[in-house]
Amino acid sequence: SQQGEEDPQALSIQEGENATMNCSYKTSINNLQWYRQNSGRGLVHLILIRSNEREKHSGRLRVTLDTSKKSSSLLITASRAADTASYFCATVNSGYSTLTFGKGTMLLVSP
Amino acid sequence: DTEVTQTPKHLVMGMTNKKSLKCEQHMGHRAMYWYKQKAKKPPELMFVYSYEKLSINESVPSRFSPECPNSSLLNLHLHALQPEDSALYLCASSLAHFSSYEQYFGPGTRLTVT
């Protein structure tokens, strides 16, 4: 069963703007990961945040995790057309080492 | 080499055919995965191999038969599929089947069952 629910389902912005995607989940987790998928292709791992971390940065990406609210957000700063893709959060439950993906956010960045 | 390769890229098969999907990685990863992804949906886990042994089968129908001949290769044998099995089949690998490891995905095989 799906664990994460992304919000919004679709997001359309201009190049240079920031994009924020949110993910909510239902059960306790070991960690939460974000992946990007370009149209009809494989997924690329972006960032992993552990349950005892609150914020993590990687280049133009910033991820936050609030375990009390069971939610995470992914911020992409200064978006580029090449950031156009679907973004999925994936949770790893405590005691179960597999990824459960959310429904994803489709991001469109227009030049 | 941080690449997972999958062949073929596209496959069209009839419901009576037998075909196989192949996946290969040379990163020394000891966990490999098969996922199924329908259009505009997230990937769904099918199988997990850990150290060449099947460790998780997510109640997948027997018309899908996985095989791990060695630590670098993963196959998915297909037989008597249904049109609703048409999807993107993704292979992934990770250093080990532990929660803290990221997964590396191949580009997928686009399967159409006619």
Side-chain angles (χ1 to χ4, degrees), chain A residues 25-44:
Chain A
Y25 56 91
K26 295 179 180 152
T27 61
S28 62
I29 61 171
N30 180 291
N31 65 70
L32 185 145
Q33 303 179 29
W34 285 89
Y35 286 80
R36 183 187 75 225
Q37 183 177 34
N38 291 88
S39 181
R41 300 185 61 109
L43 284 79
V44 174

Side-chain angles (χ1 to χ4, degrees), chain B residues 48-59:
Chain B
V48 179
Y49 272 84
S50 179
Y51 290 87
E52 299 157 52
K53 291 192 184 334
L54 183 64
S55 63
I56 293 177
N57 175 342
E58 291 283 5
S59 303

Side-chain angles (χ1 to χ4, degrees), chain B residues 33-46:
Chain B
Y33 311 80
W34 280 114
Y35 289 87
K36 174 182 176 180
Q37 186 179 27
K38 303 282 276 185
K40 299 190 187 304
K41 297 289 187 183
E44 294 182 345
L45 182 67
M46 299 174 72

